[in-house]
Amino acid sequence: MIPKTVLVVDDEQNMRDLIRIYLHRQGWSVREASNGLEALEIISRETVHLVILDIMMPGLDGWEVCRRIRETSNIPVLLLTARNATKDKIHGLNLGADDYLTKPFEMEELVARAHAILRRASSQDGTASEAVQFGEIAINLSSRQIKVNGNIVHLTPKEFELLLLLASNPDKVFSRETLLDRIWGIDFYGDFRTIDQHIKNIRDKLKKGGCTFNPIKTVWGFGYQMQRKS
């Protein structure tokens, strides 16, 4: 089996060295970048299965690196941050990050988070090549492309997974807790505001793409459900 390649992006050499030691123990191949531009250059020419990305770096910070990665790729991103504010974590997730870890952290937790992200990515890679049609919305599972009345709508990976889950189960009401577990995994330590913000983003993007109705119904006090145009 070809080993997974993890790109560690951090301007601190000691932190990169420590992370590399623990990732090598998992049998993973490790690439390193000391800044954002170097990271983007590596991603552009090599196959990378996971990016572990520090936010606070001089020059091109982790926020901008994550945003640029999401313009062209669905590579999973695990953010490392010394900032514990909820708004910063939500900002990272809205940019398309898959998870975050607040410094200082135990290396065992970093490895566990990386394993969980890679497991979810592997299960998504095995999705059958087919499409889900929900009213004006067409979801292509193989290309991970969303179209509304023929217009392409760009969603982040997590927004795509949320919409796909809801659209594939239109008669089911999902609680916020279930959505967190299904999309981010049981290892994720976020709160329900993460779900609410992602749903808002999906609605806004679908509307801008030409959707003539709100396809995601809020079930007050519980969660969300897909609804057809009345």
Side-chain angles (χ1 to χ4, degrees):
M1 180 182 296
I2 299 176
K4 298 292 186 182
T5 297
V6 181
L7 174 60
V8 180
V9 189
D10 198 304
D11 61 316
E12 296 183 14
Q13 180 70 56
N14 290 340
M15 178 61 72
R16 297 201 309 273
D17 290 343
L18 187 58
I19 294 175
R20 184 184 67 251
I21 290 170
Y22 274 81
L23 297 184
H24 274 163
R25 293 176 183 174
Q26 308 304 309
W28 296 334
S29 174
V30 180
R31 299 286 283 110
E32 297 179 41
S34 60
N35 59 70
L37 288 176
E38 184 181 359
L40 293 172
E41 195 275 332
I42 291 173
I43 291 170
S44 71
R45 59 180 169 81
E46 299 183 27
T47 298
V48 175
H49 300 97
L50 170 65
V51 179
I52 297 178
L53 176 62
D54 185 42
I55 291 177
M56 304 302 293
M57 294 187 296
L60 204 64
D61 64 19
W63 300 128
E64 179 63 16
V65 174
C66 184
R67 187 189 68 78
R68 293 194 189 183
I69 290 174
R70 282 295 167 260
E71 288 180 346
T72 59
S73 172
N74 288 322
I75 300 171
V77 176
L78 170 59
L79 291 178
L80 303 181
T81 174
R83 305 168 67 167
N84 198 33
T86 299
K87 65 178 182 179
D88 290 327
K89 298 172 183 177
I90 292 177
H91 179 57
L93 295 171
N94 287 339
L95 287 174
D98 294 80
D99 201 352
Y100 62 82
L101 196 54
T102 303
K103 295 180 177 180
F105 52 82
E106 297 293 334
M107 284 295 159
E108 290 78 5
E109 182 178 5
L110 173 69
V111 170
R113 296 287 187 96
H115 269 295
I117 292 171
L118 288 171
R119 281 197 304 270
R120 293 197 294 271
S122 296
S123 65
Q124 291 157 15
D125 289 342
T127 300
S129 176
E130 57 182 273
V132 173
Q133 185 76 38
F134 189 90
E136 302 169 349
I137 304 166
I139 307 173
N140 188 301
L141 279 65
S142 58
S143 66
R144 295 177 68 84
Q145 186 180 77
I146 306 290
K147 288 186 177 181
V148 175
N149 293 321
N151 302 313
I152 295 177
V153 174
H154 298 284
L155 301 183
T156 68
K158 286 293 181 283
E159 290 166 0
F160 178 91
E161 293 162 26
L162 263 175
L163 180 61
L164 176 60
L165 178 60
L166 292 168
S168 299
N169 301 273
D171 298 322
K172 183 173 181 178
V173 179
F174 287 90
S175 69
R176 289 175 173 84
E177 182 178 10
T178 297
L179 291 173
L180 277 175
D181 287 346
R182 292 282 293 273
I183 304 302
W184 279 268
I186 60 175
D187 303 301
F188 179 72
Y189 297 103
D191 57 31
F192 294 156
R193 284 174 292 185
T194 299
I195 293 294
D196 296 339
Q197 184 62 52
H198 277 69
I199 293 293
K200 179 181 182 300
N201 292 344
I202 294 170
R203 287 169 169 163
D204 290 345
K205 291 178 180 181
L206 292 178
K207 183 177 180 180
K208 290 179 180 178
C211 195
T212 59
F213 71 107
N214 173 22
I216 305 177
K217 175 183 177 182
T218 300
V219 180
W220 297 108
F222 189 75
Y224 297 97
Q225 177 188 28
M226 290 297 281
Q227 62 180 356
R228 299 191 183 277
K229 187 175 182 180
S230 57

